[in-house]
Amino acid sequence: MNKKGFLYKVFDLYYDGFRSMTIGKTLWLVILVKLFIMFFILKLFFFPNFIKQNAKKGNEAKFVETEMLKRN
């Protein structure tokens, strides 16, 4: 890798910064676990795919159009 390139400098900056962290690693782990819970676990249980359940295959756009016009 070119050691003078911009991407290498950015990578080196973050790599060195994360390597020397102590409490920051724990905080990043908490953030990543929280994001995993929000985007994967909650989506599975609380946000079903309404369009897939109610629209016929291939007519999803028409279903959305009629639902939007009905509610307007």
Side-chain angles (χ1 to χ4, degrees), residues 9-62:
K9 289 179 183 178
V10 170
F11 172 78
D12 192 43
L13 174 77
Y14 281 101
Y15 182 75
D16 189 42
F18 280 113
R19 188 177 50 196
S20 63
M21 269 190 202
T22 54
I23 195 165
K25 289 180 185 177
T26 307
L27 293 175
W28 274 108
L29 181 66
V30 169
I31 291 169
L32 292 175
V33 168
K34 202 172 180 181
L35 286 172
F36 175 77
I37 290 171
M38 284 188 335
F39 287 110
F40 292 103
I41 306 298
L42 290 178
K43 175 148 177 29
L44 288 174
F45 294 112
F46 296 109
F47 302 107
N49 193 343
F50 184 77
I51 295 173
K52 186 176 182 181
Q53 292 174 353
N54 295 315
K56 294 179 181 142
K57 184 145 176 89
N59 292 331
E60 291 88 357
K62 184 70 175 165

